[in-house]
């Protein structure tokens, strides 16, 4: 369960996240949707505990910067940052040691197989393509079997096989009760995956819908998205 309460993040005087309050339940997959610059990455980084912010963020009841929260949080950043001089397999080993995992080897091999990294296991981080680096990030995040999974634009740069596998993995994690948060600027890329969507614009959540609400009302989510993200902003109106 993720609880975000009055999250505000400023970069100097610029407000990138403006008083965000939302909850994502156990086993629920939420999408933070919005155009470039809406504040999605900033929110994900705040939840991951990487930025200072005002407000409160709780991960399964723990403050997000606590050790207890970090132990159950998996984060796949928008820009992968593998260690240059560790091999693919050593990344798995590093995560396993850092999180004190036991009997992790078979799971690591299975994840690497699903992301088609098995034949790259001895390659160094710096020798991998951007897509392969992204796949390592995914394997590292999934290896710890987190209770909360954060994905920042996860499908950008992945090949079709990896996209298919990742969507399967997300379904499996959800079945186990994992809370999943995905940021994306392309709503159709997460079709069939989400239970709840938050549409962001100018650092604010402008609309929230559950899948059931959309299905019951027959509302067109794409139209809602564009009606929010393409309306003249207050700032533009002031010019
Ligand atoms: P999104 O992920 O929706 O594309 P971001 O959260 O990356 O949006 O950015 C939101 C806003 O915050 C943008 O206007 C961006 O320029 C600004 N921003 C992001 N990171 C920084 C930073 N480190 N310093 C200053 N401004 C930033």
């Amino acid at each position: 369960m993720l609880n975000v309460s009055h999250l505000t993040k400023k970069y100097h005087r610029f407000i990138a996240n403006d008083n965000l309050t939302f909850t994502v339940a156990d086993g629920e997959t939420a999408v933070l949707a919005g155009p470039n610059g809406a504040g999605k990455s900033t929110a994900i980084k705040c939840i991951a505990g990487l930025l200072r912010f005002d407000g409160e963020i709780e991960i399964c009841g723990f403050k997000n910067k606590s050790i207890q929260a970090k132990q159950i949080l998996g984060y796949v950043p928008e820009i992968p940052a593998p260690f240059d001089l560790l091999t693919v397999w050593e990344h798995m080993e590093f995560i396993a040691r850092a999180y004190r995992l036991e009997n992790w080897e078979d799971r690591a091999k299975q994840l690497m197989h699903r992301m088609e990294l098995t034949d790259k296991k001895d390659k160094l981080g710096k020798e991998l393509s951007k897509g392969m680096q992204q796949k390592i990030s995914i394997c590292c995040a999934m290896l710890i079997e987190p209770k909360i999974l954060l994905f920042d634009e996860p499908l950008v740069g992945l090949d079709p096989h990896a996209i298919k596998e990742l969507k399967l993995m997300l379904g499996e994690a959800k079945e186990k009760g994992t809370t999943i948060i995905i940021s994306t600027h392309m709503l159709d890329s997460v079709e069939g995956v989400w239970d709840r969507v938050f549409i962001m614009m100018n650092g604010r959540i402008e609309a929230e819908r559950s899948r059931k609400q959309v299905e019951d009302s027959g509302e067109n989510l794409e139209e809602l998205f564009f009606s929010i993200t393409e309306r003249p902003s207050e700032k533009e109106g002031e010019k």
Side-chain angles (χ1 to χ4, degrees), residues 11-12 14-17 34-43 45 78 152-153 183:
Y11 294 113
H12 302 287
F14 178 78
I15 302 175
N17 282 169
N36 293 330
K40 308 179 298 294
S41 272
T42 300
K45 284 181 199 152
E78 184 178 10
D152 201 350
E153 301 280 3
S183 88

Side-chain angles (χ1 to χ4, degrees), residues 23-218:
T23 295
V24 188
D26 290 344
E28 198 172 41
T29 299
V31 168
L32 292 181
N36 293 330
K40 308 179 298 294
S41 272
T42 300
I44 296 254
K45 284 181 199 152
C46 288
I47 297 167
L50 300 174
L51 297 176
R52 263 184 253 153
F53 57 88
D54 293 317
E56 294 215 342
I57 301 176
E58 280 188 357
I59 301 218
C60 300
F62 301 112
K63 286 204 184 300
N64 74 325
K65 294 197 179 179
S66 66
I67 290 281
Q68 293 97 322
K70 287 180 196 291
Q71 279 170 339
I72 54 174
L73 183 134
Y75 167 54
V76 179
E78 184 178 10
I79 300 165
F83 296 104
D84 280 353
L85 297 177
L86 289 189
T87 65
V88 171
W89 181 252
E90 284 166 349
H91 278 83
M92 300 288 111
E93 211 173 331
F94 176 78
I95 294 294
R97 287 191 192 187
Y99 286 81
R100 299 198 173 93
L101 305 181
E102 285 177 8
N103 305 321
W104 54 273
E105 289 88 347
D106 285 347
R107 183 169 163 73
K109 283 180 194 162
Q110 196 196 19
L111 285 167
M112 282 168 48
H113 173 71
R114 294 182 75 172
M115 284 288 125
E116 297 188 309
L117 285 176
T118 306
D119 62 341
K120 309 282 181 311
K121 76 177 187 10
D122 297 322
K123 282 219 175 246
L124 297 176
K126 67 177 181 185
E127 294 171 342
L128 300 174
S129 70
K130 159 113 189 339
M132 290 175 200
Q133 293 183 348
Q134 180 82 343
K135 291 174 181 181
I136 296 191
S137 286
I138 293 169
C139 291
C140 287
M142 303 297 267
L143 186 62
I144 65 165
E145 300 192 278
K147 291 208 163 34
I148 303 244
L149 256 171
L150 303 173
F151 285 97
D152 201 350
E153 301 280 3
L155 306 181
V156 176
L158 286 185
D159 55 42
H161 171 85
I163 290 175
K164 188 183 78 176
E165 277 302 322
L166 178 59
K167 286 187 172 175
L168 287 173
M169 287 179 185
L170 292 181
E172 291 157 13
K174 177 184 161 64
E175 285 292 306
K176 289 183 184 160
T178 309
T179 303
I180 301 171
I181 295 96
I182 302 171
S183 88
T184 184
H185 59 281
M186 294 181 297
L187 259 183
D188 52 357
S189 69
V190 288
E191 211 185 327
V193 170
W194 61 274
D195 303 302
R196 186 170 295 280
V197 61
F198 301 97
I199 301 180
M200 289 189 68
M201 185 68 191
N202 295 332
R204 289 193 285 261
I205 292 177
E206 295 287 358
E208 172 182 351
R209 297 287 188 278
S210 67
R211 174 176 290 278
K212 185 160 183 345
Q213 274 175 321
V214 172
E215 282 172 357
D216 289 352
S217 66

